[in-house]
Amino acid sequence: MSFTDYIKKMLTGQLRSNSHSADHTASQTPSGAIEKTGPTLLAIDTASTSLSTAVLINGVVKGELYEDMERGQAENLMGFIAKSLDQAGIAFDEVDGIAVTVGPGAFTGMRIGLATARALGLARKIPVVGVSSLEAVAYGVSERDQQGRNILVALDSKRNEIFAQAFDGKKCPLSAPECVAPRQALMMAPPGDTLLAGDATPRLLTAAAHAPDAFYDCTAPGLPRAGNVARIAAARWGTNENLPPVPMYLRAPDARRIEDQGPAKNRPADEG
């Protein structure tokens, strides 16, 4: 089914599940109206080498889907969204807003997620907010793993550097997100025991072999999950604390314009 057909069906409610699940109807009042305790959000993540969608209703994540997917996100995203909505038992016209990861991550992946979120938000005239990929991974660290310790999230940039950011025991940022070498990333964490999370954790563990502080691996997913993206956005809904839906670029793109490369080609060898 084409992108346009999915949009049309979602806007007309044709993708609504025929039978609502028991937990969905359980939140209804005697009058039949659903008592809302927070925004109903559609969450999207395509900023890395995976694809994830989810719906948040009254603080509960429903219809969460995740698949490792380095290629094919653009072709599969609308199908994932339709399935998440169907599993959550709602139609697209019941969504109050859209939360999407803004990176750091893959250039193409970030653009796919953001372009789709913006198009859907425009179609419904609902807010679209951004969530950091690094924070979404930190949010996935369980209390059992964390035990009040600091968190250092490291995501693979597919280059020598990694995307990294430190968080405290309450998962509040301690540093700005940066693209740095693994040893530099370790210096972002404050003194003391630190949990490592993210798909670049193995690289940090290698760099931390002789570090003075203790760094530990944890069981959190290495890449963002849309359910956590939705939870973060919902916690900040209406506070202007969510990020704008624009890409978070921490390094320059690999491709350069021809005019940027031209002078270097004509430059004398001694100016190298």
Side-chain angles (χ1 to χ4, degrees), residues 77-94:
L77 177 54
M78 291 308 299
F80 269 57
I81 291 173
K83 188 173 181 179
S84 285
L85 290 168
D86 185 62
Q87 289 185 1
I90 67 169
F92 184 54
D93 58 11
E94 297 175 71

Side-chain angles (χ1 to χ4, degrees), residues 2-256:
S2 69
F3 180 97
T4 303
D5 290 335
Y6 270 119
I7 294 291
K8 288 180 179 178
K9 288 197 171 186
M10 282 192 291
L11 291 177
T12 57
Q14 294 180 42
L15 292 178
R16 182 195 300 271
S17 176
N18 292 329
S19 60
H20 292 288
S21 59
D23 59 344
H24 183 62
T25 56
S27 62
Q28 295 185 0
T29 63
S31 63
I34 298 176
E35 183 179 358
K36 294 191 67 172
T37 59
T40 297
L41 300 179
L42 168 66
I44 299 169
D45 171 61
T46 61
S48 55
T49 56
S50 63
L51 171 55
S52 182
T53 56
V55 176
L56 187 76
I57 304 174
N58 292 332
V60 179
V61 173
K62 300 173 181 285
E64 184 170 29
L65 304 174
Y66 174 90
E67 185 175 330
D68 291 326
M69 191 178 298
E70 193 161 357
R71 291 181 176 82
Q73 294 166 317
E75 294 81 2
N76 290 283
L77 177 54
M78 291 308 299
F80 269 57
I81 291 173
K83 188 173 181 179
S84 285
L85 290 168
D86 185 62
Q87 289 185 1
I90 67 169
F92 184 54
D93 58 11
E94 297 175 71
V95 173
D96 298 319
I98 302 173
V100 57
T101 45
V102 298
F107 285 92
T108 301
M110 284 190 286
R111 289 194 294 268
I112 290 169
L114 284 164
T116 302
R118 288 172 176 172
L120 294 176
L122 183 63
R124 276 286 322 284
K125 297 182 180 179
I126 55 177
V128 178
V129 298
V131 173
S132 161
S133 303
L134 293 160
E135 186 171 9
V137 172
Y139 204 88
V141 176
S142 68
E143 293 300 325
R144 180 178 179 179
D145 273 351
Q146 189 174 3
Q147 298 180 8
R149 292 177 288 190
N150 298 316
I151 302 171
L152 181 59
V153 178
L155 297 178
D156 192 352
S157 72
K158 305 302 180 182
R159 297 295 183 270
N160 293 330
E161 301 84 11
I162 59 175
F163 301 126
Q165 187 174 16
F167 298 84
D168 65 15
K170 295 183 179 180
K171 299 176 182 174
C172 297
L174 290 173
S175 67
E178 295 186 56
C179 183
V180 294
R183 290 187 181 277
Q184 291 176 294
L186 294 175
M187 297 174 64
M188 297 169 67
D193 292 352
T194 300
L195 284 180
L196 302 178
D199 64 343
T201 291
R203 296 178 64 183
L204 284 189
L205 287 172
T206 299
H210 302 290
D213 294 308
F215 294 90
Y216 302 93
D217 196 358
C218 68
T219 60
L223 295 173
R225 294 296 193 271
N228 290 327
V229 174
R231 292 186 183 100
I232 293 171
R236 297 170 178 168
W237 197 252
T239 66
N240 294 322
E241 293 180 9
N242 280 306
L243 300 174
V246 296
M248 181 187 293
Y249 294 133
L250 298 186
R251 63 176 178 83
D254 296 323
R256 294 188 300 166

